Each structure stands twice: as structure tokens, then as C-alpha cells.
């Protein structure tokens, strides 16, 4: 660079209070424009300085990277996790193995690119190992085989001071725990976020922060942060020309959430985030999460014993003539059929005892009989003795007779599920209280979910009304969680410890969305998740996590709970995870 321009530039930097840090090419234009505006450089001198700086920058390694003119900022980053996992599960209906155990080594690699396209537009891409939506884990392959990598995010967005719209496969935008949404799931669709506290109407003023992720803070202090988040997610792609309504409708998930945070001071706040999640009734195909509920066709599941008893009721009239000779008239009235069905879910037995039942269901039906009237004359035919003392009298009564009792045994066939996403209309209410204990960031957090259509899902989608071991209970539609976290791992020497307890009713949440680590994604479970972590450096963290879960209701079996592909197959589930994480 020419010495006279170098001197002028150095003087200019000192004049505007800049440091002597090296200038990047993308900064040159803005800096030179500012110097020209202040009159420190003429237009001609500014162009010469800009040309010299671009020439010098092009000689560096960074200068050899050529980005599209539309890209104003590009951030590349990622993380790599090594994990050892041990799991043991005990089936609720014995399958020949008392306890199933497994240990394995896995890794997860994620590569991210955040792209700014001017002040308002942005995009993002993420590549990761593992194809399953609820986990990026890749078990080390046999024979040193190479592993695949998949697109887990690909989105485009626009934002202004208070509105943010994102389209594509993206990070979950909702405030949530892992009770309803697995944190690894990247939903696809359209999301919107309105930050009311950043609108001028409510005292906010700001602009895009430039990182493609949010907007600047309000210009004045405001203890409230209130946002409305909406999501419309494409959950599948069915054939619109199929014959049945659930097959020709694409499955969608819709969720709306209001997130409100009140900050008492910089360390203490309270957040509440009620929401409503709804799924339309549609057929799910090809789901590959840990415990998928999709493609649920008709299957054989257990046996049913049917005992049928038939009873007939007649009107009987006995008339005597003048000599006392009887005439018996029998008029058919009704037939009553009683059917008792004994269902043995899953057809699993231990010795002579049925493990999962049995469950008895009784039904009674009555009908009028239209048979002909029978007339029997004389004592021999009617079986009634001649009695002159009853001459010219008539006596009536009813008679009940049991024709027969018939017992049959048949295999139980569960019919195909009429829409795996049917009857999911879930109210949620997560939140937290954040504060400091001994200088450590801490929080008490909770979550609650109630499926208002839970009885319908229990009875008809999971088919437990007709093929289950017990009828519906109110808690089958409820899931809840409460936990406490002490500390965080942001920089070297930080540590964290946390513990939570949860209960998940079988009809409370979608088994294709919930956390795959907690009870292996099974429903009708309760238990604890606990963990500790330590930051060895600013970018290396080690973690240990344990999961201890057991049945919420041990007597629940049959239907789509414990049959093949069931969503509540376990009596117990325990997991230990040891992680080594590095960020770059």
C-alpha cells in the first residue's frame, strides 16, 4: 500500500477510535466509505485505498475464498460427539428373554452453515450422520464400512425488527422440553415468530442482528419478552388419488405457542409457554424413528374365547272345559342371547396362567320371537292332569327355558389402523424459573401435556377398547415433567447437574415425536432422567446421563400397546450414556 495512503489511513483509524486490528476485505468498503464521508479521504483516495486493501487481502488464504455477491456473512461450525451406550429393557409381555441388554459405541457429526443474504434474508444448512429423525447417532459399522451423511436442515428465512418467517427443514422453533418433542427432530414446513416486545407499539426498536438468527434487543429496558410462534409442518406425503380419506390426506402438524418471560433482574426470570398442537387424521408411512407408529396394518394378536347362552321366554295358558279337561296353549314371546367374550391379548402365557389378562366382556341382546302358537289338548298331550274343580277356568304364566350354551375360540385380528395421526389434539404448558445459586445459573423447569382426544386415541387408534386388558383411564391422556438444573457448560471449568421426573400416559403424546432416549420412546412409562457434565475446555465437554423408567400402568397390554410394533412394550427400561463432545 502506498505510504501516503497508509499514513492517512492510520490517522483516520486513530481519528475514529479504531484499533489496529487487521482489516478483512468485507470490512474495507464500509470503512473507506465512512472515511470519505468524514472528509478524511477524498473520493479518489478512497478508491485507491480500497483497491490496495483488496489486492493485499487477495494474497492471504482467506482472500482465496470467493463467496457469492448475495452472501453478506457466512458462519461455518459444527460438533462431533463420541458416545458409549448401555441399555436394558424388560418386555411387559414376556417374549422368551427376561431382559434384553445391549451396549454399543456411536458417534454423531454435525456440520452447519448459517448464511446472511443482506439485512433481512438468511438461510441455513446442516449435514449430519444418522437418518432417523429423533437421533443423529451412527453406530460404528462392521468391517470398517463407510457411513452416510444426511441433510438434517435446509431452510430459507426473512426477518425484520419483530417478525421472523422460516421455510424448510429447520430447528424446532418452540419453547419445549423433551416430553413432547425430541430435541433432535428437525421439523419441515413453515414457521412464524412475532416478537411483540420488539414492536414499536410496545416500546421496542431494533434491527436485524446480522447473525441470521434473531433481531436486536429493544432500545430501552423492558422486563417483559412476549412472542407468538406458529408452525405448520409437513409430516408425510400420501397419494392423493387413494380410495380412502386417511390415505389420500397428507399428515400435517399445526402448533401455536405464546411464550412470555418476565425478567426480575439479569439473573432471575420466569417463563411460561402455553401452546396447542394438533395433527390431522392421516396415514403415516415409512417412519424410521426408534419406536415408530406407522404403516399399522391388520395383524394377528392373541385369542378370544366366546361363550354364547340362548334363553327363550314363552307365554303359557291352560284352559279347562266344563269337564275339567285341560288345553295348553304356548305362545313364543322373546329370545335373550348373552355373549361373554374373554380376550387374551398377545396370546402369551406362562405355564397355565395368562400373563396379560384375560379380560371378560359381556353383552346381552333380546329380540321378539315370531314362532307359531302350539296348542296341546288333553291331559296326556299337555302334561296337565284333568281337574273338574277348575272347570271353565283359564290360568296364564310365563316360562323361561335355556336352549344351549356354545363356546368357541378364535384368533384375534387387530384391524388396520384408520389413520395413525388421528385423535392428537394436545394442550401443553412448559415453563421455568431461572435464577442463580452460589453464582451458578440454575432453573426449575416443568412441562405438561393433555391430549383432549385421548379417549378416542386409546379406544380406536390404539384399539385398546376392544382388544386391550383394561378400559380407558383419565391419566392415559396426561403427560407431565418436573426437573431442576444447576449450572451450565459454556466455558472451561463449568459444570452442570440435572434431574427430572416424568409420567407419560399412553394416549398423551405422539410416539413419533417424543424423546427416543427416555424409555426408548415408549409410552405408558414413568421415571427419572439425571445427568452431569463438565467443560474441559471452552469447546470440549464430557457428559454422563442415566435413564431409569418403569410402567405407569403394568396392567395395560393388548391392542397396539404390546402387539407387534406396539408403542408401550416395556415393563422397565434403563439406559446409561457416556459422551465426549467437541465443538469447532
Amino acid at each position: 500500500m502506498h505510504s501516503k495512503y497508509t499514513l492517512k489511513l492510520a490517522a483516520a483509524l486513530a481519528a475514529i477510535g479504531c484499533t489496529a486490528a487487521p482489516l478483512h476485505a468485507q470490512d474495507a468498503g464500509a470503512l473507506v466509505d465512512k472515511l470519505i464521508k468524514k472528509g478524511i479521504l477524498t473520493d479518489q483516495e478512497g478508491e485507491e485505498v480500497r483497491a490496495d486493501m483488496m489486492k493485499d487481502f487477495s494474497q492471504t488464504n482467506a482472500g482465496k475464498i470467493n463467496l457469492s455477491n448475495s452472501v453478506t456473512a457466512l458462519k461455518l461450525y459444527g460438533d462431533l460427539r463420541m458416545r458409549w451406550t448401555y441399555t436394558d429393557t424388560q418386555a411387559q409381555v414376556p417374549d422368551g428373554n427376561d431382559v434384553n441388554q445391549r451396549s454399543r459405541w456411536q458417534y454423531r457429526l454435525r456440520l452447519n452453515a448459517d448464511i446472511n443474504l443482506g439485512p433481512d434474508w438468511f438461510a441455513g444448512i446442516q449435514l449430519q450422520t444418522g437418518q432417523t429423525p429423533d437421533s443423529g447417532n451412527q453406530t460404528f459399522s462392521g468391517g470398517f464400512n463407510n457411513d452416510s451423511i444426511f441433510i438434517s436442515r435446509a431452510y430459507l428465512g426473512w426477518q425484520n425488527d419483530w417478525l421472523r418467517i422460516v421455510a424448510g427443514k429447520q430447528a424446532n422453533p418452540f419453547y419445549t422440553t423433551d416430553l413432547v418433542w425430541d430435541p433432535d427432530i428437525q421439523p419441515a414446513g413453515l414457521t412464524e415468530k412475532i416478537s411483540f416486545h420488539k414492536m414499536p407499539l410496545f416500546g421496542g426498536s431494533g434491527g436485524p442482528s446480522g447473525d441470521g438468527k434473531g433481531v436486536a434487543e429493544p432500545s430501552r429496558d423492558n422486563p417483559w419478552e412476549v412472542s407468538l410462534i406458529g408452525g405448520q409442518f409437513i409430516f408425510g406425503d400420501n397419494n392423493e388419488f387413494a380410495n380412502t380419506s386417511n390415505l389420500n390426506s397428507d399428515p400435517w402438524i399445526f402448533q401455536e405457542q405464546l411464550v412470555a418471560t418476565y425478567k426480575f433482574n439479569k439473573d432471575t426470570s420466569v417463563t411460561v409457554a402455553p401452546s396447542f398442537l394438533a395433527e390431522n387424521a392421516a396415514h403415516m408411512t415409512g417412519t424410521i424413528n426408534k419406536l415408530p407408529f406407522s404403516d399399522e396394518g391388520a395383524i394377528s394378536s392373541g385369542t378370544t374365547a366366546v361363550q354364547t347362552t340362548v334363553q327363550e321366554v314363552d307365554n303359557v295358558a291352560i284352559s279347562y272345559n266344563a269337564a275339567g279337561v285341560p288345553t295348553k296353549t304356548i305362545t313364543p314371546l322373546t329370545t335373550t342371547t348373552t355373549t361373554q367374550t374373554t380376550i387374551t391379548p398377545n396370546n402369551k402365557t406362562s405355564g397355565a396362567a395368562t400373563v396379560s389378562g384375560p379380560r371378560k366382556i359381556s353383552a346381552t341382546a333380546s329380540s321378539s320371537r315370531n314362532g307359531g302358537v302350539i296348542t296341546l289338548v288333553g291331559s296326556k298331550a299337555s302334561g296337565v292332569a284333568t281337574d273338574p274343580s277348575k272347570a271353565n277356568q283359564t290360568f296364564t304364566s310365563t316360562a323361561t327355558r335355556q336352549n344351549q350354551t356354545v363356546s368357541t375360540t378364535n384368533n384375534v385380528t387387530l384391524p388396520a389402523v384408520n389413520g395413525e395421526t388421528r385423535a392428537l389434539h394436545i394442550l401443553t404448558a412448559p415453563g421455568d424459573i431461572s435464577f442463580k445459586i452460589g453464582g451458578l445459573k440454575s432453573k426449575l423447569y416443568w412441562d405438561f401435556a393433555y391430549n383432549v382426544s385421548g379417549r378416542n386415541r386409546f379406544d380406536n387408534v390404539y384399539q385398546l377398547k376392544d382388544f386391550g386388558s383394561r378400559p380407558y383411564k383419565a391419566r392415559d391422556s396426561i403427560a407431565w415433567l418436573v426437573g431442576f438444573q444447576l449450572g451450565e457448560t459454556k466455558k472451561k471449568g463449568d459444570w452442570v447437574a440435572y434431574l427430572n421426573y416424568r409420567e407419560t400416559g399412553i394416549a398423551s403424546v405422539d410416539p413419533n415425536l417424543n424423546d427416543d432416549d427416555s424409555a426408548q420412546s415408549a409410552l405408558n412409562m414413568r421415571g427419572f432422567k439425571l445427568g452431569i457434565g463438565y467443560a474441559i475446555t471452552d469447546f470440549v465437554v464430557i457428559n454422563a446421563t442415566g435413564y431409569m423408567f418403569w410402567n405407569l400402568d403394568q396392567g395395560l397390554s393388548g391392542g397396539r400397546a404390546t402387539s407387534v410394533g406396539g408403542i408401550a412394550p416395556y415393563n422397565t427400561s434403563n439406559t446409561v450414556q457416556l459422551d465426549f463432545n467437541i465443538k469447532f
Side-chain angles (χ1 to χ4, degrees):
M1 187 181 295
H2 297 176
S3 59
K4 65 175 182 178
Y5 298 134
T6 304
L7 292 174
K8 277 197 172 187
L9 183 59
L13 291 173
I16 63 174
C18 294
T19 67
L23 295 175
H24 298 289
Q26 59 265 38
D27 300 326
L31 177 59
V32 171
D33 289 342
K34 190 170 184 179
L35 295 175
I36 293 173
K37 185 176 181 179
K38 289 180 173 290
I40 297 174
L41 294 177
T42 66
D43 289 342
Q44 181 178 353
E45 290 172 337
E47 290 300 322
E48 293 178 6
V49 169
R50 183 184 288 109
D52 284 344
M53 293 179 66
M54 292 299 293
K55 180 179 179 181
D56 291 342
F57 182 75
S58 66
Q59 305 301 316
T60 66
N61 290 333
K64 297 175 182 178
I65 300 176
N66 188 11
L67 299 178
S68 168
N69 291 335
S70 61
V71 177
T72 56
L74 172 64
K75 180 181 179 181
L76 301 176
Y77 59 100
D79 64 271
L80 175 63
R81 181 180 69 193
M82 300 293 179
R83 167 175 288 182
W84 177 79
T85 302
Y86 168 80
T87 302
D88 73 62
T89 57
Q90 183 183 55
Q92 182 169 196
V93 177
D95 57 1
N97 298 312
D98 182 39
V99 176
N100 293 309
Q101 300 176 328
R102 182 177 186 181
S103 65
R104 52 185 169 171
W105 288 93
Q106 298 175 305
Y107 71 95
R108 183 189 68 187
L109 172 65
R110 298 187 296 193
L111 304 173
N112 301 271
D114 291 342
I115 307 163
N116 278 16
L117 306 167
D120 301 324
W121 292 88
F122 57 91
I125 300 170
Q126 183 184 78
L127 304 178
Q128 76 169 18
T129 50
Q131 189 178 12
T132 56
D134 54 2
S135 173
N137 295 327
Q138 173 65 56
T139 301
F140 283 99
S141 303
F144 306 126
N145 294 336
N146 294 329
D147 301 317
S148 300
I149 196 161
F150 301 89
I151 299 174
S152 50
R153 290 184 194 171
Y155 63 87
L156 175 67
W158 177 88
Q159 64 184 3
N160 64 10
D161 293 350
W162 49 269
L163 175 63
R164 175 182 171 91
I165 301 174
V166 182
K169 192 166 175 59
Q170 58 191 281
N172 192 325
F174 296 106
Y175 174 97
T176 182
T177 69
D178 60 7
L179 183 70
V180 178
W181 283 96
D182 187 294
D184 292 312
I185 290 179
Q186 316 280 333
L190 185 68
T191 63
E192 311 84 24
K193 181 178 181 181
I194 302 174
S195 300
F196 293 109
H197 56 286
K198 295 176 180 177
M199 300 175 69
L201 178 64
F202 300 101
S205 62
S209 65
D211 63 359
K213 295 183 178 180
V215 295
E217 293 297 321
S219 59
R220 62 183 179 83
D221 291 337
N222 183 352
W224 283 101
E225 291 185 1
V226 182
S227 300
L228 180 64
I229 305 172
Q232 305 85 46
F233 301 126
I234 305 169
F235 207 19
D237 182 21
N238 290 330
N239 180 6
E240 62 270 27
F241 298 106
N243 294 326
T244 59
S245 59
N246 289 328
L247 294 179
N248 62 26
S249 298
D250 291 340
W252 285 78
I253 298 176
F254 303 93
Q255 186 169 357
E256 301 292 330
Q257 183 177 54
L258 183 68
V259 183
T261 299
Y262 185 83
K263 294 184 177 180
F264 296 94
N265 52 54
K266 65 182 182 66
D267 297 324
T268 308
S269 65
V270 175
T271 298
V272 292
S275 81
F276 179 65
L277 182 153
E279 301 187 33
N280 66 323
H283 180 52
M284 282 294 296
T285 61
T287 304
I288 58 173
N289 54 303
K290 181 170 288 186
L291 200 63
F293 187 67
S294 67
D295 300 313
E296 299 298 326
I299 60 172
S300 178
S301 178
T303 59
T304 176
V306 181
Q307 185 180 77
T308 303
T309 302
V310 179
Q311 290 181 328
E312 295 180 346
V313 178
D314 300 323
N315 181 74
V316 180
I318 300 176
S319 300
Y320 295 88
N321 62 13
V325 176
T327 297
K328 186 175 184 180
T329 304
I330 302 174
T331 304
L333 292 180
T334 60
T335 296
T336 301
T337 302
T338 302
T339 302
Q340 180 174 279
T341 303
T342 303
I343 297 176
T344 305
N346 304 99
N347 200 21
K348 296 290 185 179
T349 58
S350 178
T354 300
V355 173
S356 55
R359 175 187 175 195
K360 294 183 179 181
I361 304 172
S362 295
T364 301
S366 297
S367 61
S368 298
R369 293 167 57 208
N370 299 316
V373 176
I374 300 174
T375 302
L376 305 172
V377 181
S379 59
K380 185 176 181 180
S382 65
V384 179
T386 299
D387 190 349
S389 66
K390 296 178 181 178
N392 300 318
Q393 297 184 50
T394 299
F395 301 89
T396 61
S397 63
T398 59
T400 300
R401 52 196 173 94
Q402 179 174 311
N403 283 1
Q404 59 182 343
T405 298
V406 178
S407 298
T408 59
T409 301
N410 302 294
N411 290 329
V412 172
T413 298
L414 296 183
V417 174
N418 186 20
E420 289 86 348
T421 62
R422 181 180 296 277
L424 285 169
H425 305 97
I426 305 171
L427 294 169
T428 73
D432 73 76
I433 302 174
S434 297
F435 47 90
K436 278 191 173 182
I437 297 179
L440 296 174
K441 285 188 176 181
S442 307
K443 65 179 178 180
L444 173 67
Y445 57 96
W446 62 86
D447 204 348
F448 175 83
Y450 172 63
N451 182 12
V452 299
S453 302
R455 178 187 285 273
N456 184 11
R457 191 162 180 85
F458 180 96
D459 288 347
N460 302 314
V461 179
Y462 295 148
Q463 301 169 337
L464 290 164
K465 178 180 180 180
D466 296 324
F467 303 103
S469 58
R470 67 158 175 83
Y472 169 82
K473 296 179 181 179
R475 74 176 184 182
D476 292 325
S477 297
I478 297 174
W480 62 272
L481 172 152
V482 62
F484 178 72
Q485 177 177 318
L486 178 64
E488 60 178 0
T489 51
K490 294 292 186 181
K491 62 183 186 301
K492 179 180 179 179
D494 285 350
W495 59 272
V496 65
Y498 54 88
L499 170 69
N500 66 58
Y501 173 82
R502 74 189 68 195
E503 295 186 357
T504 308
I506 191 170
S508 61
V509 300
D510 188 341
N512 290 323
L513 297 181
N514 66 328
D515 182 35
D516 73 309
D517 293 319
S518 300
Q520 311 301 302
S521 189
L523 303 180
N524 187 45
M525 300 295 284
R526 56 183 166 182
F528 294 93
K529 174 183 177 180
L530 65 159
I532 56 173
Y534 179 74
I536 301 175
T537 71
D538 291 350
F539 50 85
V540 176
V541 178
I542 56 174
N543 294 96
T545 311
Y547 302 82
M548 297 176 290
F549 283 84
W550 63 98
N551 278 106
L552 183 60
D553 187 339
Q554 191 171 1
L556 177 60
S557 59
R560 298 289 174 171
T562 54
S563 299
V564 176
I567 42 78
Y570 302 128
N571 186 40
T572 62
S573 175
N574 303 301
T575 301
V576 175
Q577 296 171 345
L578 301 178
D579 295 336
F580 182 88
N581 306 273
I582 183 168
K583 297 182 292 183
F584 50 86

